[in-house]
Amino acid sequence: MEQKTQDYLTENRDKHLTELVDLLSIQSISALPEHKDDVKKAANWMADALTEIGMEHVKVHETKGHPVVYADWLNAPGKPTVLIYGHYDVQPVDPLHLWDSPPFEAEIRDEKIYARGASDDKGQTFMHLKAIQAILETTGTLPINVKFCIEGEEEIGSPNLPAFTEENKELLAADILVISDTGMLEPGKPTICYGLRGLCGLQIDIKGAKGDLHSGLYGGGVQNAIHALVNLVSTFHNEHGQVTVEGFYDKVAALTDEEKAAYAELNFDEEAVLKELHVPELFGEEGYTYLERTWVRPTLEVNGIYGGFQGEGIKTVLPSEAGAKITCRLVPDQDPDEIAELLQKHIEAHKPKGVEVKVSLFDKGAPFVTPFDHPAIQAAGRAYEKVYQVPTSYTRGGGSIPIVATFDEILNIPTVLMGFGLPTENFHAPNEHFHLENYDKGILTLCHYWYELEKTLKVK
């Protein structure tokens, strides 16, 4: 990378941050119908920004849901073509009262930018635009060909992107897929994520009597919907932290000795997790470390329970309805559809007496792993090391980006997950923020990476 490219980024930092603040002001919450226009506004913002940095064939593609923004620059014949994926939609902001500043009025405090989407994923997607712009502005060309695919439904499971990808395979064809929607292990420790857990989500609805009942008149004689729900939920785990759904672990790929050794070399500080989270002890599946539990073991988590009286004081009723929302994080070689079927069988087998039980399926996505010795991943590691001046760590991620497995299946190209967020940045929670040190270093890393790919990646 040329020095003038780095100088350009330094000289234009304030201008670029002002642009990012503008992007973060858009309330593009894909999960809430009342923000549909805001999501469209964010799509148009992205299209305008891509045009401004010199991309060609910029288009906002409509889908059955929120739009997909495409753009490209294909003026480097014989050089690798990179598909850059990101998303411009964000999570809801509740509970609002826990934010120290308005979630859509970005503030910079202590060299961190606070706003919904700052880290996940507007900030990281924006970095890609600025890296490409910096190289084009200072050299007039790029060392690689580039395509952008930026969607507005990642936070709701990307329901329409698979169909869009299938219909536009030629448009999205590339030699490699690069995504910045993951994180680093800790400050100053660059990390490449070579695998992600999959996802399977469902909702359980319990229905008892025709309506809430007086607990004095009916208590002890009619099933309480909340009691039924709690009893059902308690059957999902044993006291050892293991999931008790029959067949749940049958297809789980075992952790290799090499991976165990690599994780041990990270010297991960579990005590620091205790302090950060303010919990007295960690808990999970027995026989595994914290990293193994959160990276390479499957989980079943109850994300929410509802039912009954929620106001202040006491209301003496037997609730007639209750429900729970559940998600499973899956690992190779678990199949989301098979896991959903196993869950439904388990629920039916443990159906409480005196109530009706309804199960609704929601988000799902396959797990994904790519070899961390792939040349494109190793090139990314070198790019990180040039900027951060320390060795790059190779990890798996506990979260899910369902579209990654879809891209792998449809486009059949390797994926490199180059994240710059930190685990402490409250993505999906109040006071989401992004460290500007990683914002600055991340853009430089991406610039270096494109030149590393030019030297490393053989074009098909």
Side-chain angles (χ1 to χ4, degrees):
M1 187 183 78
E2 298 187 19
Q3 181 62 42
K4 58 184 178 181
T5 300
Q6 186 168 338
D7 293 341
Y8 170 87
L9 288 168
T10 301
E11 294 164 3
N12 288 275
R13 184 177 189 261
D14 289 344
K15 176 178 179 292
H16 293 166
L17 282 176
T18 299
E19 294 172 9
L20 177 56
V21 167
D22 186 42
L23 172 60
L24 293 171
S25 72
I26 304 174
Q27 301 183 35
S28 50
I29 305 172
S30 55
L32 302 179
E34 59 266 32
H35 286 286
K36 181 178 180 180
D37 290 342
D38 293 313
V39 179
K40 181 65 177 288
K41 180 180 179 182
N44 290 332
W45 192 100
M46 277 292 177
D48 291 342
L50 288 163
T51 300
E52 184 177 339
I53 69 171
M55 295 297 98
E56 301 170 348
H57 307 112
V58 181
K59 184 176 179 180
V60 177
H61 292 262
E62 298 296 335
T63 71
K64 293 180 180 179
H66 301 303
V68 174
V69 183
Y70 174 85
D72 62 35
W73 188 95
L74 306 175
N75 302 308
K79 301 294 178 65
T81 298
V82 178
L83 175 63
I84 299 172
Y85 164 86
H87 65 92
Y88 59 82
D89 65 318
V90 300
Q91 282 277 331
V93 298
D94 311 88
L96 188 60
H97 71 278
L98 293 181
W99 286 80
D100 294 331
S101 55
F104 294 105
E105 296 176 19
E107 286 190 8
I108 296 177
R109 305 191 298 271
D110 301 321
E111 280 302 288
K112 306 169 191 172
I113 185 165
Y114 286 80
R116 174 57 88 229
S119 180
D120 180 22
D121 180 45
K122 287 179 177 177
Q124 297 201 60
T125 299
F126 180 80
M127 290 163 57
H128 278 279
L129 273 66
K130 296 301 107 176
I132 294 295
Q133 181 181 22
I135 297 173
L136 276 175
E137 290 281 350
T138 55
T139 70
T141 188
L142 293 175
I144 44 96
N145 299 292
V146 63
K147 297 179 178 182
F148 282 92
C149 177
I150 307 175
E151 69 155 324
E153 296 185 328
E154 195 275 343
E155 299 293 4
I156 56 173
S158 304
N160 293 293
L161 193 54
F164 175 84
T165 304
E166 187 67 54
E167 294 165 4
N168 294 276
K169 283 195 290 188
E170 184 174 344
L171 182 69
L172 300 177
D175 297 298
I176 184 174
L177 171 66
V178 176
I179 301 175
S180 295
D181 196 14
T182 51
M184 299 165 55
L185 280 176
E186 59 186 60
K189 198 164 187 176
T191 308
I192 293 176
C193 177
Y194 67 92
L196 294 167
R197 291 194 289 190
L199 183 68
C200 173
L202 58 83
Q203 178 172 314
I204 302 172
D205 290 298
I206 302 284
K207 175 64 176 174
K210 62 180 180 180
D212 290 352
L213 303 176
H214 191 291
S215 65
L217 296 177
Y218 295 97
V222 178
Q223 176 68 286
N224 182 315
I226 291 180
H227 293 182
L229 177 67
V230 171
N231 287 334
L232 176 57
V233 168
S234 71
T235 68
F236 287 125
H237 297 87
N238 62 23
E239 67 272 21
H240 304 296
Q242 297 161 331
V243 177
T244 54
V245 175
E246 186 175 353
F248 188 79
Y249 295 108
D250 284 358
K251 294 187 177 180
V252 173
L255 186 65
T256 66
D257 292 339
E258 290 78 10
E259 286 178 304
K260 279 182 174 287
Y263 298 164
E265 290 175 2
L266 295 174
N267 296 316
F268 184 78
D269 187 356
E270 293 192 1
E271 288 296 321
V273 178
L274 292 176
K275 294 177 182 178
E276 173 66 28
L277 301 181
H278 295 181
V279 294
E281 62 182 308
L282 299 176
F283 179 78
E285 187 182 1
E286 287 187 1
Y288 297 91
T289 67
Y290 176 81
L291 289 184
E292 290 167 354
R293 292 170 182 166
T294 56
W295 288 355
V296 299
R297 296 299 294 172
T299 65
L300 187 157
E301 300 289 351
V302 179
N303 307 124
I305 285 183
Y306 53 93
F309 178 63
Q310 304 294 325
E312 293 185 13
I314 295 292
K315 184 179 182 183
T316 54
V317 296
L318 265 66
S320 67
E321 297 181 351
K325 296 179 185 293
I326 292 172
T327 52
C328 298
R329 299 290 178 170
L330 310 179
V331 300
D333 296 301
Q334 289 179 303
D335 178 83
D337 292 323
E338 289 182 5
I339 295 300
E341 185 177 343
L342 292 176
L343 290 174
Q344 291 178 92
K345 288 181 179 179
H346 179 93
I347 293 168
E348 181 62 30
H350 293 81
K351 179 179 176 181
K353 295 180 180 180
V355 294
E356 297 177 358
V357 179
K358 177 184 176 183
V359 177
S360 303
L361 300 180
F362 287 104
D363 295 355
K364 64 179 180 179
F368 173 81
V369 173
T370 193
F372 62 74
D373 59 355
H374 189 283
I377 288 182
Q378 292 301 311
R382 293 192 297 274
Y384 273 114
E385 289 167 12
K386 285 183 178 180
V387 176
Y388 285 87
Q389 297 294 301
V390 296
T392 301
S393 297
Y394 298 89
T395 70
R396 290 203 207 176
S400 306
I401 309 176
I403 196 59
V404 172
T406 300
F407 278 135
D408 179 53
E409 179 182 348
I410 298 175
L411 301 180
N412 193 29
I413 56 176
T415 299
V416 179
L417 301 172
M418 297 182 69
F420 300 95
L422 291 173
T424 58
E425 289 179 337
N426 290 1
F427 36 86
H428 291 207
N431 297 314
E432 179 181 350
H433 58 279
F434 191 26
H435 286 67
L436 292 182
E437 177 186 7
N438 288 329
Y439 165 84
D440 292 325
K441 288 184 175 180
I443 296 175
L444 290 176
T445 299
L446 292 171
C447 290
H448 279 293
Y449 184 43
W450 305 140
Y451 288 100
E452 286 289 336
L453 274 185
E454 179 190 21
K455 295 182 293 183
T456 304
L457 200 62
K458 296 184 182 298
V459 179
K460 293 179 181 179

